[in-house]
Amino acid sequence: MALMNEPTAPYHSAHNALRVLETVARHPAGVNEAELSHHTALAPERLTALLRMLRREGYVEQVTDGAYVTGETLRRLTSAHEREGALRDKLQRTLDRLRDSVGAAVYISRYVDGEVTVTQYAAGPGTPAVNEWVDFRFSAHATAVGKSLLTQLDHNARRDHLSRHKMARLTSRTITSDKLLLSRLESQPPTVPVLDLQEYAIGTVCAAVPITAGSTVGCLALSLPVEHAHRLKQAADALNRNAAPVLLSLAI
């Protein structure tokens, strides 16, 4: 399966964060901010913002002399024994925080063995999850999640997916023309969230942003009741800005 990769802002943030973590890991006795700036060649203001995020996420800790050392989250994620459970726990905490900050249900989805799979989500009484009335595996053409994943494939992989899944009309807004859908997927900028404006289900609007890590295609998405549609763009932009911690967890 070929990917259509173009770096996005969250990707750059995660990449830079990995550089910081690699440097911290090479200095078990601790490394200060000036030394980190020298070793990573990151501007001081950029480094400060990354260190703030890494401390919040538990990847680094600051000791009494102001130096940075590896944090508990990083130690657990790099442990072969603990990694699977630690990653799931870390992602869930990140999703819960995103749900609360953007005021919407949020989801992680991946494209695995040619199928759309929602792997984790965070919802609540005031932020209800989408009612999966049609299996997400068979409705990629109508969902923000599915379209975001498909945009990250090459043309042949997209056509292969659509050849295996009939583009059923789920609402009056659903695109059922493979020619039209493929054209829209081709023209979708990777830095702009993919939207679902009641294409999957009447009463729900959604947005998704790519979080591809390595060779696995993924996306981070949110859903809102249609009465909150006026918040969709703002929430989607916030989701995009805060995708780096999710990418980082998947990349470590």
Side-chain angles (χ1 to χ4, degrees), residues 1-247:
M1 175 181 63
L3 310 182
M4 300 291 286
N5 285 327
E6 183 172 331
T8 60
Y11 172 87
H12 285 302
S13 293
H15 177 72
N16 288 335
L18 282 172
R19 288 164 59 192
V20 174
L21 290 179
E22 288 167 355
T23 303
V24 172
R26 289 198 302 268
H27 295 79
V31 56
N32 64 37
E33 199 160 335
E35 292 169 325
L36 281 169
S37 182
H38 171 73
H39 288 299
T40 62
L42 291 170
E45 62 275 12
R46 182 66 186 132
L47 177 60
T48 297
L50 286 171
L51 286 170
R52 188 182 306 119
M53 183 268 283
L54 291 170
R55 288 181 65 189
R56 185 188 69 228
E57 300 292 330
Y59 290 114
V60 300
E61 297 171 2
Q62 196 169 21
V63 292
T64 52
D65 64 354
Y68 290 91
V69 296
T70 56
E72 179 62 25
T73 296
L74 183 61
R75 290 192 288 271
R76 290 190 66 205
L77 286 177
T78 53
S79 164
H81 176 67
E82 294 188 65
R83 175 170 168 74
E84 185 174 346
L87 177 58
R88 187 165 190 85
D89 290 346
K90 181 68 187 73
L91 289 174
Q92 193 61 52
R93 290 195 300 273
T94 302
L95 289 179
D96 290 344
R97 186 167 57 247
L98 276 173
R99 174 200 60 205
D100 296 340
S101 64
V102 304
V106 291
Y107 314 78
I108 293 177
S109 184
R110 307 182 85 174
Y111 196 73
V112 181
D113 296 331
E115 302 295 349
V116 173
T117 304
V118 174
T119 55
Q120 283 179 254
Y121 71 95
T127 52
V130 174
N131 174 31
E132 190 179 353
W133 76 285
V134 175
D135 194 316
F136 290 141
R137 291 176 299 172
F138 308 134
S139 53
H141 65 292
T143 65
V145 160
K147 288 184 288 182
S148 179
L149 296 174
L150 290 176
T151 61
Q152 298 173 67
L153 308 181
D154 66 17
H155 183 77
N156 289 336
R158 293 170 188 161
R159 292 199 67 91
D160 172 72
H161 182 92
L162 296 178
S163 72
R164 292 184 285 107
H165 298 293
K166 178 178 172 58
M167 294 173 59
R169 184 176 299 280
L170 306 182
T171 77
S172 62
R173 296 172 178 263
T174 307
I175 296 174
T176 56
S177 162
D178 58 351
K179 183 177 180 180
L180 176 58
L181 180 64
L182 288 168
S183 174
R184 293 195 178 179
L185 294 176
E186 291 281 356
S187 61
Q188 174 70 31
T191 55
V192 176
V194 179
L195 303 181
D196 158 18
L197 304 176
Q198 300 190 88
E199 297 168 53
Y200 174 75
I202 296 299
T204 302
V205 293
C206 305
V209 296
I211 53 165
T212 296
S215 62
T216 302
V217 170
C219 72
L220 187 61
L222 65 83
S223 66
L224 288 166
V226 71
E227 55 266 30
H228 293 287
H230 62 283
R231 294 202 296 113
L232 183 62
K233 184 180 185 303
Q234 181 182 12
D237 289 343
L239 189 75
N240 201 18
R241 288 194 305 271
N242 290 281
V246 178
L247 261 172

